[in-house]
Amino acid sequence: AQKITQTQPGMFVQEKEAVTLDCTYDTSDQSYGLFWYKQPSSGEMIFLIYQGSYDEQNATEGRYSLNFQKARKSANLVISASQLGDSAMYFCAMFHFGNEKLTFGTGTRLTIIP
Amino acid sequence: EAQVTQNPRYLITVTGKKLTVTCSQNMNHEYMSWYRQDPGLGLRQIYYSMNVEVTDKGDVPEGYKVSRKEKRNFPLILESPSPNQTSLYFCASSLAGGTNYGYTFGSGTRLTVV
């Protein structure tokens, strides 16, 4: 069975510091995709970054980067120079090409402190 | 504007009264899915559809129905809602699942069943 684990229910980080949100996954598939989404207090889901299982380089999108360690089955999100607007819930998710399912973790609530 | 439109945003209903939550996308996406979000559980997939007339169960399909008669629409039907279906519901669509296009989510429907 596919599973995503986010072990940090909540984190507090000082503004301008970098932050790493942990995500580990479990799958026996060779082909899959990993996503990170941001959910601010308004509730919408915002796509941040994607990493394919065959991508050799870590994905980056502006201040977001995905630290992909395939052998360890981890896909941590790194936010550089955090801002107050980064305060939100963050979800890691895994996509399986075989059954087209997107499986989410339980999320990490990030709070940026001024 | 490219978007996924869900209606209604908020709904309070009584046990057993049939309801439909509509979902429409204007991006010509093949893939569409429904998720429910509950505290501490993340988002769980209810149903998904790979194309018109092609639907399949996700992780928590009991008590729900869907249809995909047109590419743009993917309504979620609760034939006899119960209080345990009180949740935040999201519709999502994707051009090609599991790629860096990501899923586009609707704004969510907060359903309360009393």
Side-chain angles (χ1 to χ4, degrees):
Chain A
Q2 303 106 11
K3 188 176 180 182
I4 291 276
T5 301
Q6 295 180 253
T7 57
Q8 306 152 310
M11 288 186 69
F12 291 85
V13 173
Q14 204 75 38
E15 190 180 7
K16 297 193 179 84
E17 289 185 353
V19 57
T20 298
L21 304 182
D22 294 341
C23 173
T24 58
Y25 59 92
D26 186 20
T27 182
S28 56
D29 293 346
Q30 296 301 310
S31 185
Y32 51 90
L34 295 157
F35 294 87
W36 277 92
Y37 285 89
K38 173 183 179 181
Q39 186 180 44
S41 58
S42 51
E44 71 267 30
M45 296 290 286
I46 302 168
F47 166 63
L48 294 179
I49 198 167
Y50 168 83
Q51 178 88 38
S53 59
Y54 293 115
D55 295 339
E56 294 187 354
Q57 293 204 336
N58 287 342
T60 61
E61 291 286 348
R63 294 186 300 114
Y64 304 108
S65 61
L66 198 152
N67 183 2
F68 181 47
Q69 298 186 44
K70 194 170 182 177
R72 298 180 61 185
K73 294 188 175 178
S74 75
N76 298 340
L77 177 70
V78 180
I79 306 174
S80 63
S82 58
Q83 303 169 356
L84 295 178
D86 293 333
S87 293
M89 183 73 97
Y90 289 81
F91 290 99
C92 180
M94 176 169 57
F95 181 88
H96 293 264
F97 291 91
N99 60 14
E100 312 296 337
K101 181 188 290 186
L102 192 61
T103 302
F104 283 83
T106 53
T108 297
R109 184 170 296 282
L110 175 65
T111 303
I112 306 299
I113 305 166
Chain B
E1 180 190 352
Q3 60 185 358
V4 175
T5 303
Q6 279 180 244
N7 280 298
R9 288 291 308 274
Y10 301 92
L11 179 60
I12 301 175
T13 190
V14 296
T15 299
K17 185 176 181 183
K18 180 179 178 180
L19 66 92
T20 300
V21 184
T22 63
C23 174
S24 181
Q25 50 94 4
N26 62 0
M27 297 165 282
N28 202 36
H29 285 173
E30 288 88 6
Y31 293 93
M32 296 187 76
S33 291
W34 276 102
Y35 296 86
R36 60 177 289 173
Q37 182 180 359
D38 301 291
L41 296 177
L43 281 79
R44 295 177 292 168
Q45 190 179 56
I46 302 171
Y47 270 94
Y48 66 94
S49 169
M50 290 189 287
N51 215 323
V52 176
E53 303 293 359
V54 180
T55 63
D56 209 345
K57 297 177 180 179
D59 293 320
V60 288
E62 292 77 21
Y64 304 96
K65 285 176 57 177
V66 294
S67 68
R68 188 94 182 270
K69 294 186 173 61
E70 305 165 280
K71 197 172 188 178
R72 61 183 293 128
N73 295 325
F74 192 44
L76 179 70
I77 303 156
L78 285 71
E79 295 269 3
S80 182
S82 61
N84 65 11
Q85 292 179 298
T86 293
S87 187
L88 177 60
Y89 291 86
F90 286 101
C91 179
S93 73
S94 173
L95 178 62
T99 74
N100 57 2
Y101 293 110
Y103 275 69
T104 302
F105 282 80
S107 300
T109 296
R110 190 166 292 279
L111 172 66
T112 302
V113 184
V114 298

